[in-house]
Amino acid sequence: MTAVFRLPDLGEGLTESEIVAWKVSEGDSVTLNQVIAEVETAKAVIDLPSPYAGVIRRLHASEGETVEVGAPLVEYDLEDAAEAAADPEPAEPAEPADAPPAPSADAPPAEPEPSADARPAPAEPEPSADAPPEQSEPSEERVAMLVGSVRMDGARRPTRRPRTFAQTPFVRAERSPARAFPPVRQLAKQRGIDLAAVTPTGEGGVVTRADLDRAAAHPAPPTSHRERLSGLRRETAKAMTASALSVPHAACFLQVDVTETLRLARDLAAEGGASPTLLSLASRAIVLAARRTPGVNARFDADAGEIEFHDRVNLGIAVATDRGLVVASVDDAERLDAIALAGAIAERAAAARDGSIGLAALTSSTITVSNVGVFGVDGGIPILTPGQSAIVALGAVRRTPWEHDGDIALRDVMTITVSFDHRVIDGREASAFLVDVGEMLERPGLALARG
């Protein structure tokens, strides 16, 4: 008896997923809940478990192919006729420590999610001719439970392999070495012309000066290659375009002397044990400053014509990964000191890079910090994370001549930028927030007094 497993909605409201890697082949026997594929959505790589036990009869998609929700994915020969009619419940999974919380007004998604009404409905399953009328496909709820059950089993989740895209370099047809007299060779060198790429017209296949003139007048077109966007990069591109076009962005900058903050970090590190980083100390300052300027930790609700102020500060950390840029959230960041923040940021960044981060941590942030200084630049104007009203960029620390205590001294200086939604806060509020952050980094004792 056969059964068809169609790509389910994996609980994110997305309409498609990409097949990263098949863990089974046609003809393989599989057990219930066995991981059969890695699929990539716009936010994460997910292990897809088998809803049936049986033999893989056909795989309907290839690795790298994007599949629409509801499209046939795997066809099975079932081991037991009851499998087709029954919908066995998987073992109750253990609750993970960072299980995605129920959606609330306190934690809006970092990216706009389409409503269930706007999502295309999956096509009705088509049972085979020899299947009984009562045969049914596994429900979306059941598949979601299976995905959660398998993903929570760290021993069964395979290590994600780095993905590469094939490139198509320009290849010149092989030919015999070019023949040319010394003056022509010297002229070709001066003009930067490859003699092997010139069609000779001289007697015996010799390249002439006229041949060089023709080659210079009609240079070969530049070579190029294309790279297909992954699910994450494609969705990030859509979200950033929507944010840039729909939100009135504005930005302001501040140069800050962070010498004392760096000295504090070094002193704490010298004591041994866990210690804060410049990023965690800056993040602590951002969280504290958000209390004094609540508009930076808010969301503009265009449909309702309201501004929603969040009671919690879920600090989003922009993380560059092999799959693209993600924003990993440290929830309830206001409850953490700078040392605890350093540990939480490192943990979230590592999970984002290896693809093991949960979906909740990718959608719950309320304000974002981007440490662009790690790339060696002094600053930049970041685009707002969708659904947020502010994002802070931290530039590289430069040893700079600076006025200090009435004299000129070499100090550690960093540029801080805040981009903000001008519908929620104005320049005065954004400036007050930025100055507040800067004062705490210039005099880190203020953070202790305000903590």
Side-chain angles (χ1 to χ4, degrees), residues 180-195 212:
F181 293 109
V184 175
R185 289 185 179 277
Q186 181 64 26
L187 181 60
K189 184 177 180 179
Q190 293 173 356
R191 294 183 177 181
I193 298 175
D194 181 4
L195 283 173
L212 294 184

Side-chain angles (χ1 to χ4, degrees), residues 122 301 358 370:
D301 188 340
S370 179

Side-chain angles (χ1 to χ4, degrees), residues 84-96:
D87 190 15
E89 291 295 330
E92 187 68 22
E95 187 69 20

Side-chain angles (χ1 to χ4, degrees), residues 7-276:
L7 181 68
D9 177 354
L10 298 174
E12 303 172 67
L14 302 174
T15 60
E16 62 186 20
S17 295
E18 179 182 321
I19 305 300
V20 175
W22 284 109
K23 301 302 180 182
V24 295
S25 303
E26 293 179 356
D28 287 355
S29 295
V30 297
T31 58
L32 182 67
N33 291 3
Q34 177 180 337
V35 175
I36 58 175
E38 283 184 356
V39 296
E40 182 179 32
T41 69
K43 301 181 180 67
V45 174
I46 297 174
D47 293 338
L48 191 64
S50 173
Y52 299 115
V55 177
I56 303 296
R57 183 174 186 178
R58 181 184 176 189
L59 302 178
H60 286 266
S62 303
E63 291 185 357
E65 182 176 345
T66 298
V67 181
E68 297 289 333
V69 168
L73 194 62
V74 182
E75 186 174 346
Y76 293 82
D77 284 326
L78 300 184
E79 293 179 345
D80 189 345
E83 289 282 348
D87 190 15
E89 291 295 330
E92 187 68 22
E95 187 69 20
D98 61 346
S104 68
D106 295 54
E111 297 180 17
E113 300 284 354
S115 67
D117 294 336
R119 187 186 314 144
E124 290 298 325
E126 299 179 2
S128 61
D130 55 353
E134 63 272 22
Q135 176 178 339
S136 63
E137 298 293 338
S139 66
E140 291 186 1
E141 292 80 3
R142 179 188 168 210
V143 172
M145 291 178 68
L146 293 177
V147 170
S149 176
V150 173
R151 179 54 91 184
M152 283 182 279
D153 182 359
R156 296 179 62 183
R157 175 170 52 79
T159 301
R160 186 173 182 271
R161 300 182 301 277
R163 300 182 56 217
T164 58
F165 294 93
Q167 297 183 358
T168 307
F170 176 75
V171 179
R172 186 172 58 237
E174 294 184 1
R175 58 185 299 175
S176 58
R179 299 175 59 194
F181 293 109
V184 175
R185 289 185 179 277
Q186 181 64 26
L187 181 60
K189 184 177 180 179
Q190 293 173 356
R191 294 183 177 181
I193 298 175
D194 181 4
L195 283 173
V198 178
T199 302
T201 61
E203 184 177 354
V206 174
V207 177
T208 67
R209 181 185 293 269
D211 296 333
L212 294 184
D213 293 339
R214 281 191 295 272
H218 302 285
T223 61
S224 64
H225 68 274
R226 292 174 179 265
E227 181 177 292
R228 188 172 59 84
L229 290 177
S230 67
L232 174 62
R233 291 184 185 275
R234 184 169 57 249
E235 293 302 320
T236 299
K238 292 179 182 178
M240 292 297 98
T241 300
S243 178
L245 294 179
S246 63
V247 177
H249 282 63
C252 52
F253 312 82
L254 182 66
Q255 284 189 303
V256 178
D257 179 356
V258 295
T259 306
E260 298 304 321
T261 292
L262 290 176
R263 181 177 292 124
L264 172 62
R266 288 193 296 268
D267 290 345
L268 292 173
E271 295 181 0
S275 59

Side-chain angles (χ1 to χ4, degrees), residues 40 42-45 98 151 157 160 232 316-330 344-359 361-363:
E40 182 179 32
K43 301 181 180 67
V45 174
D98 61 346
R151 179 54 91 184
R157 175 170 52 79
R160 186 173 182 271
L232 174 62
I317 308 298
V319 182
T321 74
D322 292 340
R323 298 173 55 240
L325 181 68
V326 299
V327 177
S329 178
V330 177
I345 289 171
E347 178 184 352
R348 282 287 188 257
R353 291 189 180 100
D354 67 23
S356 63
I357 192 169
L359 295 177
L362 295 174
T363 58

